[in-house]
Amino acid sequence: DGTLTARGQCREKQMTKSFGDSVEITFEGRVATVPLDRGDGRNALSLKAMQALTDAAIFLSQDTEHHTVILTSTGAFTAGADLKDPDRAAVSKLSRLEQRQSLKLGPDMCAAWEALEQITIAAIEKYCIGGGVALAVACDHRVAGRDAHFRLPEIPLGMNMSWQTNPRTAALLGPSRAKQFTILGEPLAAPLALEWGLVDEVTDPGTALEAATALAARYAKVPPIALRMTKQSINVATNPLGHATSFMDRDQVAYASTTSDQREAIQAFLEKRDPAFKGD
């Protein structure tokens, strides 16, 4: 459930709430800030970190005191999935039903952040990879340092892009650029991400959180009921078929992981050579 610590006597003073070892919400004024900090500057998404981010969003969904939420990290936004996570390795020993259930964690995390009625802003420095992109596009806004980049390595590694990310990306970039960004898996530098519509603002390196906080303060002055209702109506109008077009993507992950092309992609990556795909 986390722990809650008050710093001051009134609700306008700062308070914090912790979720595990890597996520802590700081409340100040009408703004909640959620930094991911795994202590290494890379902030790869372990299963525990993903659960903590999900729990933080669920907690915030019941909050009526704070009207904007900033999601950020200490160091890089995230390196994507933590492939060295011992909990992830243990999943392979589960039954197929249990494995399928475990695949809900990523989409459930993104859905919990997308469902927040508060305005959400991702403050991104250095790099935002794979599942980090999925999480960032589930937020309302993205602010990035000028030297940051975004990348989706899943498809070049023989997987599909899941976590119901494709409709969110297409809504931001349009179908042509969404295909280029998602399928090629090439780095997208922050200035070009701004031009394409993936991010809303590019700042000097190290100042993304400052810029996100300034934007959050502007939203915090708006009447909160109107803010929340309008956010919800715009989200539904923009992406009404998002779930219908992506609800099976976790099963597609399970299928893709059984192909020889996926194994070849990983082996070629480790051996630093071009893969030889056969469509099998």
Side-chain angles (χ1 to χ4, degrees), residues 135-170:
L135 181 57
V137 298
C139 295
D140 297 308
H141 297 292
R142 287 143 299 281
V143 178
R146 187 169 292 105
D147 61 349
H149 72 271
F150 301 79
R151 185 165 65 88
L152 293 174
E154 282 78 3
I155 289 179
L157 290 176
M159 306 298 292
N160 64 299
M161 190 60 218
S162 59
W163 298 7
Q164 299 188 291
T165 303
N166 288 334
R168 297 178 185 126
T169 305

Side-chain angles (χ1 to χ4, degrees), residues 165-187:
T165 303
N166 288 334
R168 297 178 185 126
T169 305
L172 291 169
L173 303 184
S176 178
R177 285 172 170 168
K179 291 169 189 172
Q180 185 173 339
F181 176 52
T182 304
I183 297 173
L184 295 180
E186 297 170 347

